């Protein structure tokens, strides 16, 4: 038996006509696949607003075995992420990088497969290009909570409805949302999906549109609702 290193094995397969294709996508939860397919390595996904949606992206990636990092989200919901299926043993959290935000993100882009960040402001110009270049070079998917100049894909929660309380009593059991995806290039075709985000059991799954349409009016996504597990509820 001959033992080959990875580079040697790939070269041998290429000579034999079996080219090894790199995995371009980092996995997302099944309920999100109609929106994204996966997180494309070297690309930026900008999520409009903090909340459960960015954690859902992290959960799918880590559940599939990807190492991930979270930067600048002091309210990172550990319990909420775990309920969605995140492997917290594969998550590095930097709550407050302070003035070193860009340097911390740059280091993590060379070290893990998914970096979830909340920038201190809109990332534009030379800094945005530098960080995206690092993501492309190292095959890292970058998820920004908030705007990012040149993001290939953007996600937003356009409608939201918490369900559970009846006649002023009871507990919130879940949140039905409409998530929209749009962008440029390969991510340019607008897409949308109704989701439980989270569902009554804390997981993310598809929500039945017919049930939504017969369940009463859906308030705007900015309608206040109680926060859970240390999360904002805007997204």
């Amino acid at each position: 038996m001959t033992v080959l290193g990875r580079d040697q094995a790939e070269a041998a397969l290429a000579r034999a006509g079996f080219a090894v294709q790199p995995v371009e996508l980092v996995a997302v939860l099944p309920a999100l696949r109609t929106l994204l397919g996966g997180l494309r390595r070297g690309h930026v996904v900008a999520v409009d607003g903090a909340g459960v949606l960015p954690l859902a992206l992290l959960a799918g990636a880590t559940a599939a075995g990807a190492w991930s990092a979270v930067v600048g989200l002091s309210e990172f919901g550990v319990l909420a992420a775990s309920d969605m299926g995140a492997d917290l043993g594969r998550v590095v959290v930097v709550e407050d990088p302070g003035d070193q935000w860009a340097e911390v993100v740059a280091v993590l882009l060379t070290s893990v497969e998914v970096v979830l960040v909340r920038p201190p402001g809109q990332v534009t110009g030379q800094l945005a290009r530098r960080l995206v270049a690092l993501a492309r070079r190292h095959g890292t998917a970058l998820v920004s909570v908030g705007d990012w100049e040149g993001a290939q894909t953007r996600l937003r929660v356009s409608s939201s409805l918490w369900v559970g309380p009846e006649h002023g009593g009871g507990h919130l059991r879940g949140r039905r949302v409409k998530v929209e995806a749009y962008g440029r290039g390969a991510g340019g075709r607008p897409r949308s999906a109704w989701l439980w985000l989270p569902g009554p059991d804390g997981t993310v799954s598809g929500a039945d549109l017919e049930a939504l349409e017969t369940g009463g009016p859906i308030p705007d996504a900015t309608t206040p609702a109680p926060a859970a597990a240390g999360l904002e509820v805007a997204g």
Side-chain angles (χ1 to χ4, degrees), residues 101-187:
W101 182 87
E103 289 76 9
V104 170
V105 172
V107 169
L108 291 170
L109 286 171
T110 70
S111 308
V112 298
E113 295 174 78
V114 177
V115 177
L116 170 61
V117 302
R118 178 158 61 185
Q122 185 177 2
V123 183
T124 60
Q126 185 176 356
L127 176 58
R129 292 190 293 272
R130 173 192 165 212
L131 294 177
V132 170
L134 280 173
R136 288 175 178 167
R137 188 179 310 145
H138 294 275
T140 305
L142 179 57
V143 179
S144 174
V145 177
D147 198 16
W148 186 291
E149 183 181 275
Q152 286 86 358
T153 302
R154 301 177 186 274
L155 299 177
R156 73 184 186 103
V157 173
S158 60
S159 298
S160 173
L161 174 67
W162 285 90
V163 297
E166 297 180 0
H167 308 295
H171 299 281
L172 291 170
R173 292 187 289 109
R175 183 183 182 217
R176 291 182 175 125
V177 301
K178 182 180 182 181
V179 180
E180 298 178 344
Y182 56 100
R184 59 186 183 84

Side-chain angles (χ1 to χ4, degrees), residues 49-60:
V52 181
L53 183 54
L55 298 190
L57 297 176
L58 186 79

Side-chain angles (χ1 to χ4, degrees), residues 159 176-179 192-196 205-209 212 218:
S159 298
R176 291 182 175 125
V177 301
K178 182 180 182 181
V179 180
S192 64
W194 287 98
L195 304 174
W196 281 107
S205 60
D208 179 60
L209 181 56
L212 284 170
I218 299 175

